[in-house]
């Protein structure tokens, strides 16, 4: 099973096979007189010496079967399951597996038709509890994923399965993909769910809201049956949830109240979203792990989170690395640590623009944390003297070994007023952002009122946001001016249907006109675009744009159009494939574009 049934057992010595029935312990001491007893059904006991080669052969066979704990695994087999015929071997193994509790499909690619027949096989697997389904749509069009997930979900619901773990990480399904498993989350199959893992799925704000509503409904329905949803582990890093998505999920977390681990790194969340999460965490008293790495707390978010930490007693791991908590935020967190968190094992405040005195306050706060294993303050602004003082403080508590490397310290910051000035500027920016968010919420509400037939391929109504014609006033024979217009249009891209459509139409109008001109230099256009995106170095001092998400999504649309010169695809592919920090922060959009370019 696990992609390989007990084939190969025929070649084993029957004496070795008997170990399966007697729970033989290979770790115990043995001697020449050591014997194992083997009973086969209907036969008297057989006593035999266990030869080392028999044990090795048995171990090898068991490793191949991968059936421990009722698990059937196809992990990493790179199966391309497009049709029912492609999936026949998988289906047979599922059907033949009695007591199936865990199904691993990671590292394969499952199409719509194959998903339907796999789902049919799952309809009789009521004992299934764990679905390890990460990275199982490689190379699929985004539109293929929701119907595949719907089929699989229906199979689980029909089976009457009671899931405890659902892992759909590393599937770039976007907001629409969440709709694909929304019904499953709301069904009785997920009333028993303990672990939900959705890392790196590109859900966006819209997907976060759909997910939050589904979890809330699951809790409501399960509570009505006297067994409320008791989710323990939630993982949703690298999903661009931002404030609105995080706030929606925070509301769901507050209702659930049983969380033990929350992992939401790299989601573009700043202080309003962090504050909402902090308030939700306060009513989840069993929390052990909080990972919000690479979001933006600032002082406001850090203070709100510190207030919550004072009320939590079970926390073991805090990861606020690269969260810009700054000195005032660090002092607030230090105060929370000093007054509680008796089980703390790891505290990460690296790359947070923390100065020396605040870092020393953090070090002093962990003095009585007997279980502390790691304190990470790397990448802050302590200076050489500050690093030495930090080491001395921890030495005084006999805790020098818990301090992580300080090799990336930024050096002491001479400008004491800089932090306050930056925070004042951020406060003004955040007020503007909040106004923009209110406008976006109104637009989203309008979109939600649109007929659902839109999702099924019917014509969309007129977009609620119109983008000026980029060809107006743009010299489409000039590559630099076309690049400028392209970036201006693509910068407003959002996952909302109306905005996405408007951007794509504007890109089509601009690029179709440019590429159709005999005087337009396509190679020069792509070169200049790569420079402005920070993917290609130039002698000119050109500041790269800060956020590549919109341009990457616009490019993904453009390269699929007939007007796009296919000869440019290899060059674009080469630069999008190269390691680049800006691309890493837009992994979902990059993944989509790479998938498209491989097909061009």
């Amino acid at each position: 099973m696990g992609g390989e049934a007990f084939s190969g057992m025929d070649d084993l010595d029957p004496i070795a096979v008997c170990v399966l029935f007697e729970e033989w312990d290979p770790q115990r001491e043995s001697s020449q007189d050591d014997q194992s007893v083997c009973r086969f059904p209907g036969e008297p006991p057989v006593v035999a010496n266990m030869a080392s080669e028999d044990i090795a052969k048995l171990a090898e066979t068991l490793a191949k079967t991968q059936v421990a704990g009722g698990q059937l695994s196809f992990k990493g087999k790179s199966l391309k399951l497009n049709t029912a015929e492609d999936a026949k071997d998988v289906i047979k193994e599922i059907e033949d597996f009695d007591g199936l509790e865990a199904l691993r499909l990671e590292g394969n690619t499952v199409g719509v038709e194959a998903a339907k027949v796999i789902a049919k096989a799952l309809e009789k697997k009521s004992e299934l509890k764990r679905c390890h389904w990460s990275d199982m749509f490689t190379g699929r069009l985004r539109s293929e994923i929701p119907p595949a997930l719907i089929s699989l979900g229906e199979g689980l619901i029909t089976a009457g399965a009671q899931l405890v773990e659902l892992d759909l990480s590393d599937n770039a399904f976007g907001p629409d993909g969440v709709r694909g498993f929304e019904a499953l989350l709301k069904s009785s199959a997920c009333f028993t769910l303990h672990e939900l893992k959705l890392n790196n799925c590109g859900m966006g704000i819209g997907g976060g809201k759909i997910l939050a509503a589904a979890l809330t409904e699951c809790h409501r329905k399960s509570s009505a049956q006297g067994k409320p949803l008791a989710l323990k582990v939630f993982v949703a890093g690298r999903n661009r949830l931002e404030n609105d998505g995080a706030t929606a999920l925070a509301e769901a977390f507050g209702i659930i109240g049983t969380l033990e681990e929350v992992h939401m790194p790299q989601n573009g969340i700043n202080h309003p979203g962090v504050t909402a999460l902090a308030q939700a965490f306060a009513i989840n008293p069993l929390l052990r792990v909080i990972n919000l790495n690479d979001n933006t707390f600032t002082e406001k978010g850090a203070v709100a989170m510190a207030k919550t930490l004072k009320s939590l007693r079970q926390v073991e791991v805090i990861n606020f690395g690269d969260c810009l908590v700054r000195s005032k935020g660090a002092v607030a967190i230090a105060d929370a640590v000093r007054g509680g968190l008796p089980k703390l094992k790891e505290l990460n405040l690296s790359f947070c623009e923390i100065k020396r005195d605040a870092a020393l306050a953090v070090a002093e706060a962990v003095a009585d944390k007997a279980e502390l294993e790691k304190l990470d303050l790397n990448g802050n602004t302590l200076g050489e003297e500050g690093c030495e003082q930090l080491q001395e403080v921890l030495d005084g508590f006999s805790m020098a070994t818990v301090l992580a490397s300080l090799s990336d310290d930024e050096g002491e910051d001479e400008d004491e007023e800089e932090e306050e000035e930056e925070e004042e500027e951020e406060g003004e920016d955040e007020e503007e952002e909040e106004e923009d968010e209110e406008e976006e919420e109104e637009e989203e509400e309008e979109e939600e009122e649109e007929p659902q037939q839109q999702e099924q391929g019917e014509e969309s109504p007129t977009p609620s946001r119109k983008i000026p014609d980029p060809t107006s006033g743009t010299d489409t024979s000039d590559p630099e001016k076309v690049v400028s217009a392209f970036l201006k249009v693509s910068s407003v891209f959002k996952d909302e249907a109306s905005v996405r459509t408007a951007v794509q139409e504007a890109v089509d109008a601009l690029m179709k006109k440019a590429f159709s001109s005999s005087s337009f230099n396509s190679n020069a256009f792509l070169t200049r675009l790569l420079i402005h995106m920070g993917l290609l170095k130039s002698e000119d001092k050109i500041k790269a744009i800060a956020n590549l998400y919109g341009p990457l999504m616009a490019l993904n649309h453009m390269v699929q159009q007939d007007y796009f010169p296919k000869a440019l695809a290899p060059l674009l592919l080469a630069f999008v494939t190269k390691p680049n920090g800006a691309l890493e922060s837009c992994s979902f959009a990059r993944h989509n574009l790479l998938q498209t370019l491989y097909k061009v």
Side-chain angles (χ1 to χ4, degrees):
M1 297 180 189
E4 298 180 34
F6 274 97
S7 61
M9 292 292 276
D10 295 336
D11 299 327
L12 279 180
D13 186 316
I15 301 305
V17 178
C18 77
V19 178
L20 292 173
F21 301 91
E22 291 298 320
E23 299 182 354
W24 179 78
D25 181 4
Q27 300 300 320
R28 72 182 181 186
E29 293 182 3
S30 61
S31 69
Q32 290 182 342
D33 297 327
D34 193 18
Q35 296 176 325
S36 294
V37 178
C38 175
R39 283 186 180 85
F40 291 92
E43 293 185 9
V46 178
V47 180
N49 290 321
M50 288 297 298
S52 59
E53 56 267 30
D54 287 336
I55 297 170
K57 198 170 183 181
L58 174 62
E60 182 181 354
T61 301
L62 290 177
K64 289 180 180 178
T65 61
Q66 305 175 53
V67 295
Q71 174 176 283
L72 175 58
S73 177
F74 299 93
K75 181 178 179 179
K77 292 185 176 293
S78 302
L79 301 174
K80 293 180 172 59
L81 308 178
N82 297 316
T83 65
E85 179 66 20
D86 295 336
K88 67 179 183 180
D89 292 338
V90 172
I91 294 164
K92 186 176 188 309
E93 293 209 41
I94 292 173
E95 290 175 341
D96 291 347
F97 198 119
D98 293 329
L100 179 63
E101 295 183 9
L103 179 61
R104 308 195 75 106
L105 292 173
E106 310 105 306
N108 299 291
T109 177
V110 181
V112 176
E113 187 181 336
K116 285 181 180 178
V117 292
I118 291 173
K120 193 71 178 172
L122 292 177
E123 288 181 1
K124 297 179 181 179
K125 300 299 172 182
S126 60
E127 296 178 11
L128 187 60
K129 293 180 176 63
R130 299 183 182 276
C131 297
H132 302 279
W133 295 351
S134 63
D135 188 24
M136 63 177 231
F137 295 111
T138 304
R140 297 287 166 189
L141 295 175
R142 189 162 149 181
S143 59
E144 291 181 84
I145 301 176
L149 287 172
I150 288 170
S151 295
L152 292 167
E154 288 173 348
L156 296 172
I157 294 168
T158 302
Q162 299 284 290
L163 297 184
V164 295
E165 181 178 0
L166 176 61
D167 186 355
L168 292 169
S169 300
D170 300 315
N171 289 310
F173 47 57
D176 296 339
V178 185
R179 294 283 188 199
F181 60 95
E182 179 185 17
L184 173 63
L185 279 182
K186 292 179 179 179
S187 75
S188 59
C190 285
F191 289 179
T192 50
L193 197 63
H194 287 169
E195 300 181 35
L196 179 59
K197 300 174 182 178
L198 299 165
N199 202 54
N200 192 32
C201 291
M203 291 189 290
I205 294 171
K209 289 182 175 180
I210 297 167
L211 176 61
L215 288 172
T216 302
E217 181 68 2
C218 180
H219 187 271
R220 185 190 70 78
K221 286 183 174 180
S222 57
S223 296
Q225 292 191 8
K227 294 182 179 179
L229 171 68
L231 191 66
K232 295 179 181 179
V233 177
F234 180 82
V235 181
R238 303 176 71 179
N239 271 291
R240 305 184 338 277
L241 294 169
E242 300 180 19
N243 285 336
D244 286 355
T247 300
L249 284 165
E251 291 175 9
F253 296 163
I255 292 168
I256 294 168
T258 55
L259 288 167
E260 296 180 14
E261 294 186 26
V262 175
H263 302 264
M264 296 175 65
Q266 295 184 10
N267 269 297
I269 307 168
N270 56 36
H271 84 80
V274 171
T275 300
L277 287 170
Q279 292 168 350
F281 293 165
I283 43 183
N284 280 266
L286 301 178
L287 267 173
R288 294 183 299 101
V289 178
I290 304 174
N291 177 6
L292 294 176
N293 187 284
D294 199 7
N295 289 291
T296 307
F297 282 40
T298 63
E299 181 188 348
K300 290 181 181 179
V303 168
M305 193 61 70
K307 183 179 177 182
T308 285
L309 291 175
K310 288 182 178 181
S311 67
L312 298 175
R313 307 295 295 173
Q314 305 300 320
V315 172
E316 298 175 4
V317 177
I318 296 172
N319 186 344
F320 297 158
D322 204 12
C323 282
L324 204 66
V325 304
R326 292 209 173 108
S327 294
K328 290 180 181 178
V331 169
I333 291 171
D335 185 49
V337 171
R338 184 181 298 107
L341 304 175
K343 298 183 178 181
L344 188 64
K345 294 181 178 178
E346 181 176 333
L347 175 59
N348 184 346
L349 293 174
S350 60
F351 298 94
C352 282
E353 295 190 6
I354 299 170
K355 296 179 182 177
R356 178 180 59 185
D357 290 347
L360 293 174
V362 172
E364 290 166 358
V366 302
D368 64 342
K369 306 307 169 198
E371 297 185 34
L372 191 69
E373 298 171 359
K374 183 178 181 181
L375 173 62
D376 194 345
L377 289 165
N378 195 21
N380 288 299
T381 54
L382 310 185
E384 186 176 346
E385 185 179 345
C387 290
E388 291 174 359
Q389 289 178 331
L390 185 63
Q391 189 74 50
E392 288 172 5
V393 168
L394 291 168
D395 277 340
F397 305 142
S398 300
M399 298 178 73
T401 57
V402 306
L403 184 63
S405 168
L406 296 172
S407 59
D408 293 317
D409 186 74
E410 296 288 339
E412 192 166 5
D413 192 346
E414 298 295 335
D415 189 355
E416 294 293 330
E417 298 178 2
E418 184 180 337
E419 183 173 320
E420 291 180 10
E421 291 173 0
E422 287 178 353
E423 288 189 355
E424 284 174 11
E425 289 173 7
E426 279 174 5
E428 293 171 5
D429 292 342
E430 284 163 359
E431 284 177 13
E432 292 175 7
E433 283 175 12
E434 285 168 10
E435 290 175 8
D436 292 341
E437 285 170 3
E438 286 174 10
E439 291 176 8
E440 287 171 11
E441 281 176 11
E442 290 173 7
E443 289 169 5
E444 285 176 8
E445 286 171 8
E446 290 173 9
E447 289 166 20
E448 285 172 4
E449 293 171 2
E450 295 175 1
Q452 290 184 0
Q453 290 91 339
Q454 240 180 278
E455 295 178 8
Q456 320 213 338
E458 296 189 7
E459 287 188 16
S460 304
T462 304
S464 60
R465 180 182 296 184
K466 288 189 176 293
I467 295 177
D469 181 3
T471 62
S472 178
T474 300
D475 180 1
T476 51
S477 64
D478 185 335
E480 184 66 29
K481 290 179 180 177
V482 173
V483 166
S484 178
F486 175 86
L487 292 174
K488 187 175 181 179
V489 169
S490 62
S491 67
V492 301
F493 184 96
K494 288 185 179 295
D495 285 314
E496 287 85 351
S498 60
V499 182
R500 179 172 63 240
T501 301
V503 169
Q504 290 174 348
E505 289 175 351
V507 166
D508 287 342
L510 173 69
M511 300 313 305
K512 187 173 183 180
K513 184 175 181 181
F515 284 131
S516 63
S517 171
S518 58
S519 60
F520 184 68
N521 188 327
S522 300
N523 289 320
F525 162 76
L526 184 55
T527 300
R528 300 304 297 174
L529 179 61
L530 291 169
I531 290 171
H532 281 275
M533 291 175 69
L535 306 182
L536 180 63
K537 291 183 179 180
S538 169
E539 294 180 359
D540 302 333
K541 293 186 177 180
I542 295 176
K543 185 178 179 181
I545 57 175
N547 190 343
L548 295 184
Y549 181 71
L552 289 171
M553 295 300 282
L555 278 170
N556 185 53
H557 169 77
M558 182 179 76
V559 299
Q560 298 178 61
Q561 309 310 308
D562 291 338
Y563 60 72
F564 177 73
K566 300 300 185 266
L568 296 180
L571 178 61
L572 182 56
L573 178 62
F575 281 94
V576 177
T577 306
K578 287 173 65 177
N580 184 285
L583 288 174
E584 290 297 329
S585 65
C586 300
S587 58
F588 170 73
R590 180 192 198 181
H591 177 74
N592 269 5
L593 179 56
L594 285 173
Q595 284 187 320
T596 301
L597 287 170
Y598 281 127
K599 297 174 185 175
V600 172

